[in-house]
């Protein structure tokens, strides 16, 4: 027990003697506290409290109060007065919690987080304890006061800061607080030190005698002593069990010790065998040296023979080296000869090129001249035809003049009128009709082709959709057993490869993916909208660093050799999800994508936040509501866009319709998706069949219209030809005028002019033919010179063919010689390598021999001439070792036996010493426990007697009589009270008393416990709530009297009464709390000193 507890058994429990220096310090502090209004110091005869009392307390955001305090308490009696809700119980609760008590002890809540004011993140309590006198705790560190700051967070976490009087932080550990409380003997969980309102009610209304006894035991800390005795007794029984176990072990250790001692004494028989073994090992060492010397001799002989053979290989290599040089010299000579021929051909080439260019130039002139000849010839032919036609015309005119008559003129006029009528009406109308029909047929064909092209494009789109649905159907069917296959047929293999690479250490951090596989939906109806929002990121992977990205790219290239690969996002992996409270959208009705998803891995969540901003995208099922929310005047804060249930994307000024109609990756019901895809494929196939029928019908229409178009065009051409003939006939009839003789003169003049032109053109034609003949002769001459020069070049080139063959043979000879040289080079290299191997082997053997000699010298410094082989010696050594091992197995190794002997002896001694110590400990423990149990029983009897005495004294002050019966065996406490003077036989149980009388009796019992227990301060909450005015006044006088006699203790009473009837005293301080203000929870205390 602590220092304060030891005073319980002193002669005068109500007095504590202190040195004069302590009294002076207390007096000074009382001046600072304002206990003396007139400035006079307290007399030296009065003793004030020093260490452990509460000087002040401040509450912030505690329970329902924003600010209470600071409250400055007096050194002796303090009344905290206020109406209900003013904060009295909050002050007491804060005192209990700040001084280490739990929430249950306050009877105000089950958890500390319930003490934080609603709407605040934390609450703070600050308590100042006096730290003066002989019981001060580390005064050189804390000074004359200890400040305890407590902070309680909304999550229920409690943190302490222990400061000195100057405010300097000393410690934040709760262990330091417990040391301070133990030093000051502060027990906030003890109902005698702090009696809360709920505990007071429970104690007042308690009907069980056992509860009163437990209250007494807890107040006097006798229950703690009893629990300690029970623990010590349990420890003693455990120790006795260990002693019994060790007794059995001691017998076994003694038996083992005696066995080891017998083996230790029988170890002399192995010495001779060890001596013989050492001799054989010496012989074995030098036998191995001799055998290694013999193994070295053939190696030296082979090395000497090989060095002699090296000279022969050198001669062969030199011989073929010379042959190679000769063959290469001959090859160079032939090469020079071939180069001379090539140079000669090169010198002839420019001349040949000049001759070829000249021949081509003259050929060009020849061709041009021939073209001129042909042109003149065509002109002559045309002029001859014109001459013949004109002569025929002249003759026809002459004949016509002679045959013209009047009847023919009338017939011609009738015919012309008939042709004119037919051209104006029939032909023109028919041609116009045919043109319109052709336009209609062409338009019908073009329209059908356009429709056919449009349907063909739609058919291609439909076919691609069918193929995509088939792939999706195959993926869905394969995902029945493995959902991962939705993201690709090769995805399971890829994840297995990633797992294997991570297991082998190729990846620093295992990549995550596909991302769509690692997320799930809280609402399945939002599958399509989330899938449209995330798009390709559902199949993406994320890596922590670029090295892992390269490894993943390599794995993907193996799994996806063709086609599109999943995307890779590289970003540092973080252990927690980003804090999006400041930039995320928070709508009361609609969730964001981040809130709609269940994401266990923070890496996946951070990747989607960084890449897609899912914290700022809303999901609104109804597209009308989505447009109303997004396109209103005040769209949601931090919201960039929204998606409807159908996948529509809505911004604040525009919107887009989704092309996708079903969710492929995030849908929950696989079978329903499979049935939907099957139905959709059937519908698409039926639509494809309808497209085929329409295409066939359009083909038939095009063919029919093209046939009609061709027939109409043929009819148009026929009609046009007929119209042309009629027009020509009409023209001829119109031109058939009666010829006059004067019309023949111009024609004869034209004929004469044509004859003149024919003569001129013929002369030009003859001249051109002559020039062409000259050009042809010149061209043939140049061509002949070019062919002769070309023949000369070919002749020189033919001379190079045998030289080339000779060069080829020379090159083959060079290759042959080089091959033989290479062969002997390789043989010499192999021979040299063999020699190097032999030399290395010799050096290794020599080193082994030296090592073996060194080992043998170490074993036996003098060389032995051993005639036995190492094998025979090894066999004998093995047999001897087996014999020694057998002996050692029977008797044990010498060192092992010696070690085991000493070890067994040491274990036996140690166990004997431990047994002796444990028996002594148990004996001492029995003696101490018997003495302490006697003291405990005496102390319990003594405290019970004192409690009875004080209880009777307290009751007598009001004229009550009573009795207090302790039954320590049955652990009950029976209290009987008789109001007024009467016979003790009329004593009755407290349950028959009135509320005020019962409260007064309870106060007497509490004051009795105060008198026999020690604590720096006492706290009572609403002690007089059930008392009438008379009992309240008497109880108050009793408590003030007790307080006046215990100036070294502090008393804190919480009551809703006004306390205006209290006597004026310097030791009393009243703190009045303001009535609760529902609009403003900030409250302050007022001090009224009396």
């Amino acid at each position: 027990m602590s220092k304060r507890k030891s005073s319980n058994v002193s002669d005068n429990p109500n007095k504590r003697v202190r040195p004069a220096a302590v009294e002076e310090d207390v007096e000074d502090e009382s001046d600072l506290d304002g206990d003396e209004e007139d400035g006079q110091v307290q007399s030296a005869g009065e003793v004030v409290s020093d260490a452990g009392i509460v000087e002040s307390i401040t509450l912030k955001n505690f329970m329902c109060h924003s600010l209470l305090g600071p409250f400055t308490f007096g050194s002796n009696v303090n009344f905290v007065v206020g109406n209900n809700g003013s904060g009295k119980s909050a002050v007491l609760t804060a005192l209990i919690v700040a001084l280490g008590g739990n929430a249950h002890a306050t009877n105000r809540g089950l958890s500390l987080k319930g003490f934080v004011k609603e709407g605040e993140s934390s609450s703070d309590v600050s308590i100042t304890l006096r730290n003066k006198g002989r019981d001060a705790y580390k005064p050189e560190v804390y000074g004359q006061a200890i400040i305890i700051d407590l902070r309680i967070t909304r999550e229920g976490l409690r943190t302490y800061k222990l400061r000195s009087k100057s405010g300097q932080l000393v410690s934040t550990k709760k262990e330091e607080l417990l040391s301070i409380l133990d030093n000051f003997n502060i027990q906030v969980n003890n109902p005698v030190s702090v009696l809360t309102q709920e505990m007071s009610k429970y104690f007042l209304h308690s009907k069980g005698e056992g509860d009163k006894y437990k209250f007494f035991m807890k107040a006097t800390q006798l229950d703690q002593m009893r629990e300690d005795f029970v623990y010590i007794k349990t420890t003693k029984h455990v120790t006795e069990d260990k002693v019994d176990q060790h007794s059995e072990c001691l017998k076994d250790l003694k038996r083992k010790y005696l066995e080891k001692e017998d083996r230790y004494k029988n170890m002399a028989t192995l010495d001779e065998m060890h001596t013989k073994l050492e001799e054989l090992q010496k012989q074995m060492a030098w036998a191995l040296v001799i055998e290694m010397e013999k193994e070295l001799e053939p190696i030296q002989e082979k090395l000497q023979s090989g060095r002699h053979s090296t000279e022969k290989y050198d001669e062969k290599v030199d011989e073929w080296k010379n042959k190679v040089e000769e063959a290469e010299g001959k090859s160079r000579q032939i090469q020079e000869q071939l180069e001379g021929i090539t140079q000669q051909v090169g010198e002839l080439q420019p001349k040949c090129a000049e001759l070829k260019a000249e021949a081509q130039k003259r050929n060009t002139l020849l061709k041009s001249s021939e073209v001129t000849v042909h042109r003149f010839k065509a002109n002559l032919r045309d002029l001859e035809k014109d001459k013949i036609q004109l002569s025929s015309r002249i003759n026809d005119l002459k004949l016509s003049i002679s045959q013209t008559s009047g009847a023919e003129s009338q017939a011609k006029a009738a015919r012309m009128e008939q042709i004119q009528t037919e051209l104006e009406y029939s032909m023109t109308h028919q041609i116009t009709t045919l043109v319109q029909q052709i336009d209609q047929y062409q338009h019908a064909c073009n329209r059908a082709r356009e429709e056919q092209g449009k349907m063909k494009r739609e058919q291609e789109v439909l076919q691609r959709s069918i193929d995509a649905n088939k792939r999706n159907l195959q993926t869905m069917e394969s995902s029945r057993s493995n959902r991962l296959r939705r993201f690709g047929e090769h995805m399971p293999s890829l994840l297995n490869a990633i797992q294997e690479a991570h297991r082998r250490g190729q990846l620093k951090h295992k990549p995550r993916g596909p991302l769509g596989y690692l997320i799930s939906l809280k609402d399945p109806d939002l599958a399509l909208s989330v899938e449209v929002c995330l798009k390709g990121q559902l199949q993406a992977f994320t890596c922590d660093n670029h090295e892992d990205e390269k490894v993943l790219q390599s794995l993907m290239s193996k799994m996806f050799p063709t086609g599109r690969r999943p995307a890779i996002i590289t970003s540092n992996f973080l252990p927690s999800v980003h804090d999006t409270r400041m930039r995320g959208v928070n709508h009361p009705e609609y969730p964001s994508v981040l809130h709609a998803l269940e994401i266990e891995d923070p890496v996946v969540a951070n990747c989607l936040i960084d890449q897609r901003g899912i914290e700022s995208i809303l999901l609104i099922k109804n597209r009308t509501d989505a447009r109303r929310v997004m396109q209103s005047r005040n769209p949601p804060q931090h919201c960039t866009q929204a998606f409807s249930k159908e996948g529509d994307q809505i911004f604040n000024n525009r919107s887009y319709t989704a092309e996708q109609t079903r969710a492929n990756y995030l849908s929950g019901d696989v079978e329903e998706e499979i049935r939907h895809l099957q139905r959709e494929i059937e519908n698409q196939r039926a639509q494809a069949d309808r497209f085929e029928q329409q295409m066939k019908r359009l083909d038939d229409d095009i063919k029919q219209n093209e046939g009609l178009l061709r027939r109409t065009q043929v009819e148009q051409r026929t009609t046009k030809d007929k119209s042309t003939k009629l027009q020509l006939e009409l023209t001829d009839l119109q031109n058939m005028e009666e010829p006059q003789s004067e019309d023949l003169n111009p024609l004869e003049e034209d004929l004469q002019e044509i004859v003149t032109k024919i003569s001129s053109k013929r002369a030009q034609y003859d001249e051109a033919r002559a020039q062409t003949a000259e050009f042809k002769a010149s061209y043939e001459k140049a061509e002949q010179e070019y062919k002769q020069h070309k023949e000369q070049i070919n002749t020189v080139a033919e001379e190079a063919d045998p030289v080339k063959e000779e060069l080829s043979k020379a090159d083959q000879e060079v290759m042959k010689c080089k091959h033989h040289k290479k062969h002997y080079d390789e043989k010499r290299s192999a021979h040299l390598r063999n020699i190097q191997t032999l030399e290395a082997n010799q050096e290794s053997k020599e080193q082994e021999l030296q090592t073996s000699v060194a080992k043998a010298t170490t074993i036996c410094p003098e060389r032995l001439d051993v005639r036995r082989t190492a094998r025979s010696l090894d066999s004998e050594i093995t047999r001897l070792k087996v014999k020694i091992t057998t002996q050692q197995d029977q008797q044990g190794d010498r060192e092992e036996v010696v070690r085991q002997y000493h070890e067994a002896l040491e274990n036996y001694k140690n166990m004997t010493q431990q047994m002796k110590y444990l028996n002594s400990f148990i004996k001492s423990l029995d003696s101490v426990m018997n003495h302490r149990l006697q003291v405990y029983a005496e102390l319990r009897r003594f405290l019970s007697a004192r409690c009875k005495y004080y209880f009777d004294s307290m009751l007598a002050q009001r004229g009550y009589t009573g009795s207090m019966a302790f039954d320590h065996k049955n652990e009950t406490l029976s209290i009987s009270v008789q109001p007024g003077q009467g016979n003790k036989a009329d004593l009755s149980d407290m349950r028959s008393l009135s509320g005020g009388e019962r409260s007064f009796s309870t106060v007497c019992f509490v004051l009795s416990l105060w008198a026999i227990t020690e604590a720096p301060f006492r706290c009572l909450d609403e002690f007089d709530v059930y008392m009438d005015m008379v009992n309240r006044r008497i109880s108050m006088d009793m408590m003030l009297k007790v307080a006046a006699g215990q100036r070294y203790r502090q008393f804190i009473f919480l009551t809703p009464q006004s306390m205006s009837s209290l006597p004026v005293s310097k030791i009393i301080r009243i703190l009045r709390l303001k009535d609760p203000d529902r609009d403003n929870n900030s409250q302050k205390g007022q001090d009224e000193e009396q």
Side-chain angles (χ1 to χ4, degrees), residues 515-630:
L515 299 181
Y517 183 68
L518 301 176
I519 64 176
S520 59
L521 292 169
K522 296 179 181 178
D523 187 356
D525 292 341
L526 298 174
L528 179 59
S529 56
V530 173
E531 194 164 312
V532 173
C533 173
L534 299 181
K535 296 180 181 178
Q537 289 164 346
L538 292 172
Q539 292 181 294
F541 284 73
T542 178
C543 292
D544 176 71
N545 52 77
H546 292 288
E547 289 76 9
D548 291 351
E549 179 186 0
K550 293 178 181 178
V551 176
L552 183 57
Q553 286 280 15
S554 175
L555 296 176
M556 285 185 178
S557 63
K558 296 177 182 178
M559 299 298 169
F560 300 92
T562 59
R564 185 178 179 184
R565 301 176 186 173
I568 300 177
I569 302 167
T570 304
S571 179
N572 291 333
F573 288 178
L574 298 177
S576 60
V577 181
H578 294 327
D579 187 1
T580 60
R581 289 177 292 182
M582 299 301 294
R583 56 191 175 92
V585 60
N586 187 10
H587 198 276
E589 298 182 27
Y590 309 113
S592 65
V593 179
L594 179 61
H595 293 152
L597 295 178
E598 291 183 354
I599 309 175
E600 297 180 358
D601 195 340
V603 173
V604 177
N606 291 337
C607 180
L608 294 178
I609 290 172
D610 295 337
Q611 298 296 321
R612 191 65 182 91
I614 59 175
E615 79 282 2
S616 59
I617 302 175
L618 283 178
L619 297 177
I620 305 173
K621 291 185 178 181
N622 189 285
R623 64 163 64 94
T624 305
D625 294 340
R627 291 193 179 94
R628 175 180 54 80
V629 171
M630 291 299 298

Side-chain angles (χ1 to χ4, degrees), residues 64 158 299 309 424 426 498 522 619 877 897 932 959 980 1077:
C64 59
R158 173 165 51 182
I299 295 176
S309 300
E424 288 179 359
S426 247
I498 292 173
K522 296 179 181 178
L619 297 177
I877 289 171
V897 170
R932 291 202 174 190
D1077 187 358

Side-chain angles (χ1 to χ4, degrees), residues 79 1023 1032-1040 1059 1062:
F79 284 92
F1023 61 92
R1032 181 179 298 112
R1033 181 182 56 80
I1034 296 174
S1035 300
M1036 188 65 63
D1037 292 341
M1038 292 171 61
M1039 287 188 290
L1040 292 178
M1059 295 291 110
L1062 286 175

Side-chain angles (χ1 to χ4, degrees), residues 1054-1071:
L1054 288 81
T1055 176
Q1057 308 300 327
S1058 63
M1059 295 291 110
S1060 59
S1061 62
L1062 286 175
V1064 177
S1065 175
K1066 297 177 181 179
I1067 67 172
I1068 298 176
R1069 171 171 290 182
I1070 299 177
L1071 288 84

